[in-house]
Amino acid sequence: MNRLVVGFICALSLVNQALAQETFRVELGRDGETIGDMRPVFLKFESRPLPAISPAEVARRYQRLFRTSDEPEVRVDALNRLTNIRDQSGQDIGFSVAEEEGIYHQVIDSYESILARGSFSGRLDELLYQMAKAHALTGQTEASIDRLRQLVGLYPKSAFVPEARFRIAESAFSAGEFAEAESGYQALIGSEGIDGLEAKARYMLGWSQFKQGAPAWDRAGKTFLSVLDEFLPTQESLADVNESNVDAIDDTFRVLALMAARRNGAETLLSWLGDAPARHWEYLVFDRLADYYAINGEFNASVAVNRAFVRYAPGHSENPGFMAQIADVWSRAGSQDQLRGAKADYIAMFGSASEYAVLDESDQARWQLFSRQLGDYHYNRAFIASEQGSRSSAVNAFSLAGDYYEALAERLEKDGAVLRLAGDARLQAGQYGAALADFRSAAYETDEYSEASDAGWAAVALLRDGVDGAKQKEGFAPDLTAFSTEADRFASRFPEDTRLPGLMADLATRWFSSDNGALALEYGQKAIGNDRASSSERYAGWIVTAKVRQRRGEFGLAERAWKQALDFIETGTVEDLESDAKDSVLQQLATVIYRQGEQDAEAGRVDASVSHFRRIEAVLPGSAIAVQGRFDAANTLLKASELVAAIDELKQFRNDFPEHPLTGRVSDKLVYAYVSSAQPVRAASELLNASIGAADPWPARLRAAALFHQTGEIKRRNQLYLDYLATNPVPQTAEQHIRLQTMRHRLVESDNEPASWRKALVASELASQWHSEHTLSWAARNSLALGARAAATFSSVELIQPLNESLDRKQKALETARQRFLDAETLGGEAVRSESLYRRAELYRLLARDLMTSSVPGDLNELERMQYQMLLEEEAFPFEEKAIRLHSENHRRITSQGFDAWVSKSLAVLAELNPGRYNRSVRWMSWNREANDGA
């Protein structure tokens, strides 16, 4: 985690466990060592040139002098000189460490003796210093401190005073007297002659303040910050830390983090930093505090510290590390949602081109990694949401994935694979415009992307789906031109792609459906001419080509194309053919041959026309169009007034196709030919002869009847109708049904037993499964007429005594009339509904009226007559209500069907039955209702 201090903390591992001749050391996590455990920093004596003998020999002689002399001053002087020789020579000579402790036990008496006499040839401050040292080395700490205090008090300007003050403060610190230690260290800082002790004093001042508890931490925090200022004075010092200072610097960062963590975290650090100019090392304090929280499992606090520094120093070069550290913290915490949020924040913070550019290579790699991870996460989450049926969640996740992929692709210099992923995410999110742009970039703006053709195909497919309507929305509604342009681009870039012929064939079909024959032909030829085209694709190209040629009237070229398509079918290599594909192509081939016959006929090329009509038989034997061709060949001859040949052709046609529906028209053609050739007798004979001996003589006879109808021979026509209808024909087709109904209608019109034919016409229409507009109208009108007749019968029935008998007859008549009117509605619908409603309503109204006016039995007294009359009213009232309801229904039809005479009659009746509502002056107006009319 402590990544940011790697510039100098790595030196920690390089420091020896015991620094040579180090006089001052504070171990982390401990209060420090006492002065008794320390060796003197230095002993200062006058420097004299060494004799021309080895320092070891000189030391040996002073050792002997120390052991042999009984004079305290001599013994002290000898010991001082030994120390001086060792200090100046740098050699480990003199007494050993074990010997030295015993020696100082011996020399203390000498010190005391000299002080007791009150005379000393040397400097007394030096003597007091050496005595303090001796007491310290012999474990007499209090005595040592007393001597140091004596030294400070008697000789405040002595060169030994700074060290003495330091050791006095150190002693107080060791004794737990931290306030006293603080005062001691504070007095020492800034004093003269302190030299190398100032940094240590300031460091220990901070610890003294720290040990006093939270109330003193503000002082401690600022002190420790000044320690860092001294140890790390420049930016370069971060990378070149003195090994002797590494532990102290590391401890300083640690204790600052500890104090801040136990208070308000980053807020505390910021308060200590205050408004002072930014320090080059201050980010390390935040980093250490964030690490402290993270190590202790306080992940939210750790994240808060990292974020606080980013806010505090928004343009700092270490901000990428802090943002990355937030992600590391959440990863360590196992909080995946927060981890993704941290990655998203990292991406957003350095997403702009300028911010991304200042990142170093590793940070850029991290940005790319985070982008890919988040893109993949949202992409996978979208698929899961989609499978679970949560469309809105899936769309949002796909959209986020697209954002990350697109941004990543830009950083990867248009990476094709990522762009294609982005396009797919946009596609799934319904963001079709963005998806199209991504697919295009992947296909056409990247280098060495192995699947560029698939990306280009995705763009083509998207536009195709847009044209089909499967993928359309506001802002994305491509037309066929856009699809075609994209296909051309794909074809230009990937000419070897095996999907290209199918695409060209598809476009040919689409342009044909859009009535653009030129482009349909162009793309059809591209499909046909592509060496990689399959039989199916070439077949599709020929189909379109044939259709275009046929639509243009280029029937000769169309015939060639249809033959090519037929050849592919017959090879059996065309896939997914519909079962009737060959029949369909043959039908079209026959059709274009037929059209050539028509063209030649129109141009007056009779022989060529007849030839085309006749050769259809060879393409599609026995087909309707082949028969039609034979028939039209005769017609062509007939129209060309080549009557002899036409008559022969027609007779031959009748002989060849006696059961064909067109055969029924042959007689007409022959009649026409005979009439045109001034042979009316032969024309009539043809019609009569056509019916003689025929299995079904009636087609010819009915044709004759039609001719009679056209010429006004009504009696002869009706006789044929009556003869035919007497056979009780049952229609097998809609045409036959209509023909029979037409006959009945004409018989009704000619007053040939109209009542019976009305009934037959209505009954046949009701029973039939076939109808036409005319037959329905005829049947409806005749049903109304029958109903009116039944209504007249109903009206004529008088209600007399005995009432039950006459009422029964009247109700039966009513039911007969009512059913006729209902049948009329069934057949005629809205066209007759107004009249039907009116007539049905009138039935009930008349019934109610007749009930009210019916005779009263003569054997009733006055009271009984009154009761009888009341009973009649009760019986009549529902019928009158029903009449009003039906007339009202007719009235309401004005809004949907408009006003007509029967509605007017209903209104007149309603005015009589319900004058309060309907007997008013009303002027009816009509208007054209607009689409936006609010009426």
Side-chain angles (χ1 to χ4, degrees):
M1 293 273 311
N2 199 6
R3 182 194 61 78
L4 299 177
V5 295
V6 69
F8 71 89
I9 296 302
C10 61
L12 287 172
S13 62
L14 304 177
V15 180
N16 279 328
Q17 297 299 316
L19 297 177
Q21 301 304 316
E22 177 65 273
T23 64
F24 174 76
R25 181 179 181 85
V26 177
E27 293 293 333
L28 298 179
R30 300 196 306 176
D31 289 338
E33 299 174 351
T34 65
I35 195 169
D37 296 328
M38 298 181 182
R39 298 183 64 85
V41 179
F42 59 86
L43 291 175
K44 186 175 180 182
F45 292 94
E46 291 183 342
S47 298
R48 297 188 180 95
L50 292 175
I53 58 176
S54 69
E57 177 60 22
V58 175
R60 186 185 62 78
R61 292 179 182 182
Y62 277 117
Q63 285 177 329
R64 186 175 62 182
L65 177 61
F66 177 83
R67 290 190 179 98
T68 58
S69 175
D70 293 329
E71 293 294 327
E73 288 149 334
V74 173
R75 288 167 62 84
V76 168
D77 186 61
L79 183 59
N80 289 343
R81 289 181 182 275
L82 279 170
T83 302
N84 193 32
I85 291 171
R86 183 178 60 196
D87 290 341
Q88 292 192 26
S89 68
Q91 299 180 21
D92 189 13
I93 55 179
F95 298 113
S96 67
V97 173
E99 290 175 329
E100 192 171 28
E101 184 175 347
I103 291 300
Y104 276 105
H105 273 288
Q106 299 174 22
V107 83
I108 288 175
D109 293 338
S110 298
Y111 284 131
E112 296 292 344
S113 175
I114 293 171
L115 286 176
R117 291 202 306 265
S119 64
F120 181 60
S121 60
R123 291 175 56 186
L124 193 55
D125 60 338
E126 292 182 358
L127 181 64
L128 289 171
Y129 178 83
Q130 292 297 336
M131 286 184 71
K133 171 186 174 184
H135 284 302
L137 289 176
T138 57
Q140 302 174 50
T141 304
E142 290 185 6
S144 176
I145 296 303
D146 288 342
R147 292 305 181 191
L148 290 174
R149 287 194 178 103
Q150 189 177 4
L151 169 63
V152 172
L154 293 174
Y155 305 100
K157 297 188 181 216
S158 170
F160 297 107
V161 167
E163 184 180 352
R165 287 185 182 279
F166 184 86
R167 294 188 183 280
I168 292 169
E170 182 184 33
S171 176
F173 185 90
S174 298
E177 298 172 355
F178 301 117
E180 183 181 342
E182 178 184 4
S183 298
Y185 288 127
Q186 191 71 55
L188 181 61
I189 294 171
S191 62
E192 295 181 1
I194 190 170
D195 296 333
L197 286 177
E198 183 168 6
K200 296 178 181 179
R202 184 173 282 105
Y203 175 78
M204 289 307 300
L205 172 62
W207 277 103
S208 299
Q209 294 164 335
F210 170 73
K211 289 292 187 176
Q212 293 178 58
W217 283 359
D218 281 338
R219 300 196 308 275
K222 294 178 180 179
T223 299
F224 280 123
L225 292 180
S226 66
V227 170
L228 292 175
D229 284 335
E230 186 167 351
F231 280 141
L232 304 170
T234 64
Q235 179 72 37
E236 292 73 18
S237 64
L238 289 173
D240 188 22
V241 178
N242 190 307
E243 290 185 2
S244 63
N245 296 331
V246 169
D247 286 341
I249 293 172
D250 190 53
D251 263 1
T252 301
F253 281 121
R254 183 183 68 82
V255 73
L256 282 169
L258 178 66
M259 289 189 294
R262 291 180 181 177
R263 299 190 72 180
N264 295 320
E267 292 183 13
T268 298
L269 288 183
L270 292 171
S271 69
W272 291 342
L273 291 169
D275 297 329
R279 297 170 168 97
H280 49 272
W281 48 261
E282 62 191 6
Y283 72 94
L284 297 171
V285 184
F286 286 86
D287 180 69
R288 182 59 65 89
L289 176 57
D291 285 351
Y292 177 86
Y293 279 131
I295 291 170
N296 288 281
E298 298 180 60
F299 303 116
N300 285 306
S302 179
V303 168
V305 172
N306 284 294
R307 293 192 184 280
F309 178 78
V310 173
R311 290 193 300 271
Y312 170 68
H316 202 281
S317 61
E318 295 297 332
N319 280 353
F322 279 94
M323 295 302 294
Q325 191 159 264
I326 293 174
D328 292 339
V329 170
W330 289 127
S331 177
R332 181 172 182 173
S335 182
Q336 295 302 313
D337 289 341
Q338 285 87 343
L339 173 58
R340 286 188 291 272
K343 291 178 179 179
D345 290 342
Y346 187 94
I347 293 167
M349 179 170 286
F350 306 107
S352 68
S354 59
E355 292 288 347
Y356 182 84
V358 299
L359 296 178
D360 61 30
E361 186 174 342
S362 63
D363 290 328
Q364 289 182 349
R366 181 185 295 109
W367 190 95
Q368 295 170 9
L369 175 63
F370 285 176
S371 295
R372 182 57 186 264
Q373 288 173 341
L374 288 183
D376 291 345
Y377 166 76
H378 289 295
Y379 190 90
N380 293 331
R381 187 169 68 90
F383 264 111
I384 293 172
S386 181
E387 290 175 355
Q388 294 174 347
S390 180
R391 176 60 184 164
S392 61
S393 297
V395 167
N396 291 335
F398 275 127
S399 181
L400 280 174
D403 291 340
Y404 286 117
Y405 286 142
E406 287 171 354
L408 176 60
E410 288 297 321
R411 300 292 182 258
L412 297 177
E413 297 183 356
K414 299 289 186 181
D415 183 270
V418 176
L419 278 168
R420 189 176 173 196
L421 272 175
D424 186 63
R426 296 297 188 192
L427 181 66
Q428 300 294 337
Q431 298 166 344
Y432 302 133
L436 181 61
D438 290 335
F439 286 142
R440 284 172 171 169
S441 294
Y444 305 112
E445 298 175 13
T446 58
D447 297 327
E448 299 181 0
Y449 175 41
S450 60
E451 298 180 13
S453 61
D454 289 336
W457 184 256
V460 170
L462 175 56
L463 285 172
R464 179 189 60 204
D465 290 345
V467 171
D468 290 341
K471 289 182 173 61
Q472 275 193 359
K473 63 191 319 181
E474 185 177 355
F476 186 82
D479 56 14
L480 187 54
T481 299
F483 175 33
S484 191
T485 301
E486 192 69 26
D488 291 341
R489 186 180 188 184
F490 181 84
S492 177
R493 179 66 179 271
F494 309 107
E496 306 301 318
D497 195 283
T498 57
R499 293 168 290 196
L500 197 55
L503 176 61
M504 297 297 103
D506 180 39
L507 279 168
T509 302
R510 291 174 182 274
W511 281 118
F512 174 77
S513 299
S514 298
D515 293 328
N516 192 321
L519 286 177
L521 276 178
E522 178 184 338
Y523 285 107
Q525 291 304 312
K526 288 180 179 179
I528 294 168
N530 193 303
D531 294 338
R532 291 172 176 75
S534 65
S535 295
S536 299
E537 290 160 348
R538 288 194 174 94
Y539 168 77
W542 279 118
I543 289 291
V544 172
T545 300
K547 289 180 178 179
V548 173
R549 298 298 188 190
Q550 187 169 339
R551 179 179 287 177
R552 288 180 170 183
E554 300 169 351
F555 299 117
L557 294 175
E559 180 181 355
R560 173 179 174 273
W562 285 119
K563 286 181 177 178
Q564 292 287 344
L566 183 61
D567 289 343
F568 275 108
I569 292 175
E570 291 176 343
T571 62
T573 57
V574 180
E575 299 177 355
D576 299 327
L577 272 178
E578 296 181 358
S579 59
D580 61 345
K582 183 175 181 179
D583 292 340
S584 177
V585 170
L586 285 171
Q587 183 67 41
Q588 294 301 324
L589 180 58
T591 298
V592 295
I593 296 174
Y594 179 85
R595 297 304 179 199
Q596 291 178 72
E598 287 184 325
Q599 283 183 333
D600 285 339
E602 291 175 2
R605 295 185 289 269
V606 177
D607 292 342
S609 175
V610 171
S611 175
H612 287 311
F613 286 138
R614 286 173 174 169
R615 69 187 181 93
I616 297 173
E617 184 71 22
V619 175
L620 207 60
S623 64
I625 194 169
V627 175
Q628 185 71 50
R630 286 279 305 277
F631 190 79
D632 286 351
N635 274 339
T636 301
L637 292 169
L638 191 62
K639 290 178 181 179
S641 297
E642 297 184 14
L643 299 176
V644 174
I647 290 171
D648 291 341
E649 191 72 30
L650 288 167
K651 287 181 178 179
Q652 187 62 45
F653 181 89
R654 183 165 58 187
N655 291 334
D656 293 343
F657 310 106
E659 302 300 326
H660 196 278
L662 289 175
T663 302
R665 297 170 57 187
V666 168
S667 291
D668 290 341
K669 300 293 182 181
L670 287 171
V671 169
Y672 174 81
Y674 290 136
V675 170
S676 297
S677 60
Q679 303 179 72
V681 175
R682 296 190 63 182
S685 297
E686 171 59 31
L687 289 173
L688 294 175
N689 291 336
S691 66
I692 296 173
D696 182 7
W698 286 109
R701 292 180 183 179
L702 294 177
R703 174 60 180 150
L707 291 175
F708 290 143
H709 177 74
Q710 293 174 6
T711 58
E713 295 288 335
I714 302 303
K715 289 183 178 180
R716 299 182 67 183
R717 179 203 71 180
N718 285 352
Q719 188 59 52
L720 286 172
Y721 286 168
L722 291 171
D723 292 344
Y724 181 66
L725 293 173
T727 64
N728 297 317
V730 177
Q732 301 298 320
T733 65
E735 182 181 0
Q736 292 175 5
H737 168 71
I738 293 170
R739 183 172 60 195
L740 290 172
Q741 291 293 77
T742 301
M743 292 179 186
R744 296 182 182 108
H745 172 65
R746 288 174 178 173
L747 288 172
V748 170
E749 284 187 326
S750 61
D751 292 328
N752 192 318
E753 299 181 12
S756 62
W757 290 117
R758 280 196 174 99
K759 293 178 181 179
L761 190 150
V762 172
S764 297
E765 194 67 22
L766 288 171
S768 177
Q769 60 178 315
W770 302 292
H771 306 284
S772 73
E773 182 179 349
H774 291 302
T775 59
L776 288 170
S777 177
W778 297 335
R781 285 298 164 190
N782 280 287
S783 186
L784 286 174
L786 291 172
R789 177 173 290 185
T793 301
F794 159 79
S795 180
S796 65
V797 176
E798 295 184 4
L799 294 179
I800 58 176
Q801 298 299 328
L803 183 61
N804 288 342
E805 295 179 4
S806 60
L807 183 60
D808 183 61
R809 291 195 304 276
K810 196 170 187 69
Q811 286 180 333
K812 288 181 179 179
L814 181 146
E815 182 59 29
T816 300
R818 188 184 72 86
Q819 187 60 50
R820 288 297 185 186
F821 295 141
L822 289 176
D823 290 343
E825 288 189 33
T826 300
L827 295 165
E830 296 297 336
V832 299
R833 184 166 174 76
S834 295
E835 181 177 353
S836 174
L837 283 171
Y838 172 79
R839 291 187 181 278
R840 284 163 53 203
E842 284 298 282
L843 290 174
Y844 293 115
R845 186 175 73 86
L846 292 176
L847 178 59
R849 184 197 66 185
D850 291 349
L851 276 172
M852 293 292 294
T853 59
S854 63
S855 61
V856 180
D859 57 347
L860 299 179
N861 59 35
E862 184 177 356
L863 179 60
E864 288 173 340
R865 290 173 65 86
M866 291 177 61
Q867 291 177 344
Y868 182 83
Q869 191 66 38
M870 291 176 64
L871 288 174
L872 286 178
E873 289 179 0
E874 290 178 2
E875 291 295 326
F877 179 74
F879 295 114
E880 185 174 302
E881 285 295 305
K882 186 173 290 188
I884 291 174
R885 186 169 67 250
L886 290 173
H887 279 306
S888 297
E889 183 178 350
N890 214 12
H891 175 212
R892 287 193 297 271
R893 285 171 50 78
I894 293 174
T895 59
S896 61
Q897 303 298 322
F899 185 78
D900 59 25
W902 297 104
V903 172
S904 177
K905 290 183 178 183
S906 286
L907 284 173
V909 174
L910 286 170
E912 178 183 343
L913 295 176
N914 193 353
R917 180 174 182 182
Y918 293 98
N919 191 14
R920 294 180 293 172
S921 297
V922 176
R923 184 177 66 179
W924 295 98
M925 296 182 294
S926 61
W927 72 95
N928 291 325
R929 185 173 182 179
E930 299 295 336
N932 61 350
D933 194 346

